[in-house]
Amino acid sequence: MQPSCRQCQGRITGLMYGILFTMSNGPKKKLTQKLKKTLPVTGPQAPTLYELMQWYCLTTNTHGCRRIVVSKGRLRKWIWITLTLTAVALVFWQCALLIMSYYSVSASITVNFQKLTFPAVTVCNMNPYKYSVIKPYLIGLEKDTIQYLKELYGYTEPSSRRRRDLRTPQNMSAAEFDYLSKIKLFPVKSINDNQVDTEEIATRKRSRMDARVAHRNAEMDDENIVGYKLNFTLFHHSLYGNCYTFNDAKQKQLLESSMGGSEAGLKLIIYIDEEDYNPFLVTAAGAKILVHDQDDFPFIEESGTELETATETSIGMHLTESTKLSSPYSECTIDGSDVPIQNLYDKKYTFQICLYSCFQMEMVKTCGCAHHDHPLPQGAQYCNFDEMPSWIYCYFKLHRQFVQEELGCQSNCRETCSFKEWTFTRSVAKWPSINAEEWTLRVLTWELGSRINKNLTKNDLANLDIFYQDLNLRTIDESPSSSLTNLLSNVGGQLGLWLSCSMVCVLEIVEIFLIDSFWVVLRQKWHKLTKWWKNHNQEDEEQQHPHTMAGHDNLGLTEEDPPTFNTALQLPRADSCQVPRTPPPLYKSLQIQSNFSEHPVNFDDEIEEM
């Protein structure tokens, strides 16, 4: 007897539940692995980050990641995970060191022997003003100072000040100047084109002669060669008064040194006139000098060197030129054009010029006037007590903020990338000696002539010799310690050493871990948002139409998400209990029986036959 449709349907249903129940046990894992190899779920199409990473480990050329997936046994997998993470850490560490070394520099020192341009030398007297000239203007201030010293320290003014010997050259006997008659000296008084006015020291006889200026390296045909007067450039310093600069940038042609040694340098005898020092303004006697480049402003107050009187100071110089690399290797500036502070000086940019320009601009902005120590900004005026009686209080308050770096000048100003530096070797000797003191002071007194009315003493003079010790120019240049090509080669070597991968593998890692992972996460978020939106709309419809029959979508299969292996696994599993079978129908009961039967029917036999 053939089974009915209902009986076949029951058997098929039981078979499907049996298959699903079997998949939930041991063979499911093997079937899952087999299906994963055949399903076209790769790369950014993977539904989860886990499957994306697993696909990457199976397909990448990086051996460590692949060994994590294909290794058998949990211990072996953890060993490869540890080794791979250690290699990745070492790669990051080594690459970080390489990148940091890329921004480092190496310095090379070169020594050349050549002619050197003689630097500019600025000389200032430590007494800014002659006491004999400004004394009438300081009578009231001097009386107050003496009174304060008397009350505080018990100071009493001496009855009379020490006076110098007022012997003049005109009062001296002829025998005292007999040695001068044997020496023909002609100091140059003035030069007008090719006309030179001279005066013989011994006879005071003036004369005019024709002369021409002979530049260095020019041929000398004349028998008589006379010296010439150095042209010093005068400028005023707020603290030291009149200062003089030798070999300044204003000269048409700078002087050069063609040989080293004291005989090829600058020799100066400086008259400081110690007796005319202001007793309350200056407590030290001497001169202050500064060696600097012609294009630099002489900040002699901060960087100057003192010269002692009655001594001969010899200063030997060595020149070093340094050049640094700018950004990104350092924060130095080439010419100051990229520094947000206006240069108020007529010299090239330096760090000190930037600082003082910044302070002067802040002074004008805060106090309404400019300080006398620095150049005047455009549209501003110098401070004075008549118009601004409280400017000095504002200045001290602003200067304290400047020293404490509260104005931002130190952070905005930057060092220059190229600069010159002179290193000095200084020696001091007693000058003049006891045996040469008499005639030396007489000659110098005679040269000053009518400009002084006294005899010079050694405490009025300071002797200076400044020269190049040698003509070796030391040049310090910075260069990058590593180039971009070397950096990429070193990074590639580290990748090959620790991870057995190349730059293409690095690009693959960037693609998987950044781009593909981003899209996988974004797609998951989008699916969740879509699912929430559909459920929200469905709830709204059910609230509006509570009696309407509504179908339910399979959550595992949606239109936006094509069916994959994972969605197939989301089907409901069969229960662990045995599914009851449906009893077969009684086919005899479905037959049409006659009302009259000749033979009785035995229903038990029918059941047994079935």
Side-chain angles (χ1 to χ4, degrees):
M1 182 179 296
Q2 298 295 330
S4 64
C5 295
R6 183 176 180 182
Q7 184 179 7
C8 295
Q9 184 178 4
R11 292 180 179 179
I12 293 173
T13 305
L15 180 62
M16 290 182 62
Y17 277 98
I19 292 174
L20 293 177
F21 180 75
T22 306
M23 289 177 60
S24 63
N25 295 328
K28 176 183 176 182
K29 185 174 182 180
K30 295 182 179 180
L31 182 61
T32 302
Q33 295 178 355
K34 187 173 182 180
L35 289 177
K36 283 186 176 180
K37 294 181 179 179
T38 58
L39 286 176
V41 182
T42 58
Q45 299 177 1
T48 61
L49 289 177
Y50 174 78
E51 295 188 7
L52 177 65
M53 296 298 106
Q54 190 174 18
W55 171 84
Y56 165 73
C57 293
L58 287 173
T59 58
T60 184
N61 292 328
T62 305
H63 301 306
C65 298
R66 185 178 180 87
R67 295 299 302 174
I68 294 174
V69 178
V70 301
S71 296
K72 303 298 182 180
R74 182 175 299 179
L75 178 61
R76 191 181 297 271
K77 288 181 179 294
W78 279 108
I79 291 176
W80 277 107
I81 290 175
T82 304
L83 293 177
T84 303
L85 293 180
T86 303
V88 171
L90 290 174
V91 167
F92 276 102
W93 176 48
Q94 294 293 330
C95 291
L97 294 179
L98 292 174
I99 293 175
M100 288 188 294
S101 64
Y102 176 75
Y103 292 102
S104 62
V105 297
S106 60
S108 59
I109 302 177
T110 306
V111 180
N112 296 322
F113 184 85
Q114 63 184 39
K115 287 184 178 181
L116 299 179
T117 302
F118 201 84
V121 181
T122 298
V123 183
C124 299
N125 196 332
M126 298 185 69
N127 181 48
Y129 308 104
K130 290 184 177 181
Y131 184 68
S132 59
V133 177
I134 65 172
K135 185 176 181 179
Y137 303 96
L138 301 177
I139 295 178
L141 180 61
E142 186 173 339
K143 289 182 179 179
D144 294 339
T145 303
I146 295 175
Q147 182 65 26
Y148 293 149
L149 292 176
K150 181 178 180 181
E151 294 178 357
L152 295 175
Y153 305 103
Y155 168 79
T156 56
E157 187 179 8
S159 57
S160 62
R161 299 187 62 186
R162 179 176 57 88
R163 302 296 297 173
R164 298 288 185 89
D165 184 9
L166 297 180
R167 297 174 62 198
T168 61
Q170 291 78 10
N171 298 333
M172 296 181 183
S173 62
E176 293 177 318
F177 293 95
D178 182 58
Y179 63 94
L180 294 176
S181 61
K182 300 179 181 180
I183 303 176
K184 294 184 178 297
L185 299 176
F186 296 90
V188 177
K189 296 299 182 180
S190 63
I191 300 177
N192 297 320
D193 295 332
N194 293 333
Q195 300 294 324
V196 180
D197 295 333
T198 62
E199 179 180 335
E200 186 178 0
I201 294 180
T203 62
R204 296 290 183 180
K205 181 179 179 181
R206 290 181 174 269
S207 61
R208 175 172 294 180
M209 61 182 68
D210 295 333
R212 64 182 179 87
V213 177
H215 298 284
R216 53 181 177 272
N217 301 327
E219 296 182 358
M220 304 295 182
D221 297 331
D222 298 336
E223 295 181 357
N224 297 325
I225 301 176
V226 295
Y228 58 92
K229 181 181 180 181
L230 300 179
N231 185 3
F232 285 79
T233 303
L234 173 65
F235 78 96
H236 182 77
H237 193 275
S238 59
L239 183 60
Y240 298 106
N242 291 335
C243 297
Y244 301 87
T245 301
F246 170 73
N247 202 28
D248 189 65
K250 297 180 181 179
Q251 303 297 323
K252 295 181 179 179
Q253 192 170 7
L254 299 179
L255 300 177
E256 293 182 348
S257 292
S258 56
M259 59 181 298
S262 60
E263 297 300 325
L266 174 66
K267 293 180 177 290
L268 292 178
I269 298 178
I270 304 171
Y271 171 58
I272 66 170
D273 194 10
E274 182 180 0
E275 186 179 353
D276 213 5
Y277 269 43
N278 192 316
F280 305 106
L281 186 61
V282 181
T283 58
K288 203 163 188 178
I289 68 166
L290 177 64
V291 178
H292 57 93
D293 187 56
Q294 279 78 12
D295 294 329
D296 293 343
F297 186 84
F299 291 101
I300 195 167
E301 180 180 358
E302 294 84 0
S303 307
T305 302
E306 289 80 7
L307 295 180
E308 185 181 358
T309 59
T311 58
E312 180 178 359
T313 304
S314 297
I315 300 178
M317 300 182 298
H318 292 284
L319 175 60
T320 302
E321 294 182 354
S322 301
T323 304
K324 301 174 61 177
L325 294 177
S326 58
S327 180
Y329 300 97
S330 67
E331 296 296 329
C332 68
T333 178
I334 298 177
D335 55 1
S337 59
D338 53 347
V339 177
I341 295 177
Q342 180 184 359
N343 186 357
L344 299 180
Y345 295 78
D346 58 348
K347 297 292 185 178
K348 73 175 184 180
Y349 174 90
T350 60
F351 184 73
Q352 284 184 306
I353 284 179
C354 179
L355 289 180
Y356 290 128
S357 298
C358 177
F359 176 78
Q360 185 75 312
M361 298 299 293
E362 290 292 334
M363 181 77 181
V364 174
K365 180 181 178 180
T366 305
C367 303
C369 59
H371 197 271
H372 294 268
D373 290 348
H374 313 295
L376 185 67
Q378 186 177 3
Q381 61 177 349
Y382 284 116
C383 298
N384 60 83
F385 286 100
D386 295 334
E387 299 181 4
M388 306 165 189
S390 62
W391 76 267
I392 191 66
Y393 171 77
C394 180
Y395 164 74
F396 280 112
K397 182 179 179 181
L398 191 67
H399 188 268
R400 182 182 60 184
Q401 296 177 354
F402 174 72
V403 173
Q404 296 177 355
E405 301 184 5
E406 297 178 357
L407 299 180
C409 296
Q410 287 78 1
S411 59
N412 291 327
C413 295
R414 293 183 288 170
E415 293 285 350
T416 54
C417 294
S418 59
F419 53 92
K420 295 181 179 180
E421 183 181 11
W422 283 269
T423 56
F424 306 117
T425 302
R426 180 173 176 173
S427 59
V428 179
K430 181 182 177 180
W431 180 88
S433 63
I434 296 177
N435 294 333
E437 179 178 355
E438 183 179 358
W439 73 264
T440 301
L441 296 178
R442 287 188 180 184
V443 170
L444 296 176
T445 301
W446 179 265
E447 286 185 354
L448 291 176
S450 60
R451 285 180 289 179
I452 61 174
N453 55 357
K454 63 176 183 180
N455 291 332
L456 295 178
T457 66
K458 61 181 181 181
N459 292 324
D460 291 325
L461 305 172
N463 195 350
L464 172 65
D465 294 341
I466 184 168
F467 53 90
Y468 280 115
Q469 285 187 322
D470 52 51
L471 299 183
N472 293 331
L473 174 61
R474 294 164 178 81
T475 305
I476 302 177
D477 294 323
E478 287 187 350
S479 60
S481 60
S482 177
S483 62
L484 181 60
T485 304
N486 294 334
L487 176 63
L488 295 178
S489 300
N490 294 332
V491 171
Q494 295 298 326
L495 292 174
L497 175 63
W498 298 108
L499 293 178
S500 183
C501 65
S502 62
M503 293 301 296
V504 178
C505 296
V506 175
L507 297 178
E508 183 184 42
I509 293 174
V510 173
E511 178 188 11
I512 296 299
F513 285 87
L514 295 182
I515 302 176
D516 294 346
S517 299
F518 170 75
W519 284 113
V520 169
V521 174
L522 182 62
R523 187 164 55 247
Q524 290 178 346
K525 297 296 183 182
W526 174 255
H527 288 169
K528 291 182 179 180
L529 180 61
T530 305
K531 180 179 178 181
W532 174 84
W533 181 255
K534 287 184 177 181
N535 294 335
H536 180 71
N537 293 337
Q538 184 177 358
E539 292 177 358
D540 292 342
E541 291 179 359
E542 290 179 354
Q543 291 178 359
Q544 296 177 0
H545 307 284
H547 301 290
T548 303
M549 298 297 293
H552 297 277
D553 295 333
N554 189 351
L555 300 180
L557 298 175
T558 60
E559 295 180 357
E560 291 81 3
D561 191 5
T564 61
F565 176 75
N566 286 327
T567 57
L569 293 180
Q570 294 177 4
L571 293 175
R573 297 180 180 181
D575 297 334
S576 59
C577 62
Q578 186 69 24
V579 180
R581 299 186 62 181
T582 304
L586 297 176
Y587 293 101
K588 275 293 185 178
S589 63
L590 297 178
Q591 295 180 0
I592 300 176
Q593 300 292 335
S594 175
N595 293 330
F596 302 98
S597 178
E598 296 180 355
H599 302 283
V601 178
N602 190 356
F603 288 98
D604 296 334
D605 296 339
E606 293 291 336
I607 294 175
E608 291 178 359
E609 291 179 2
M610 293 178 61

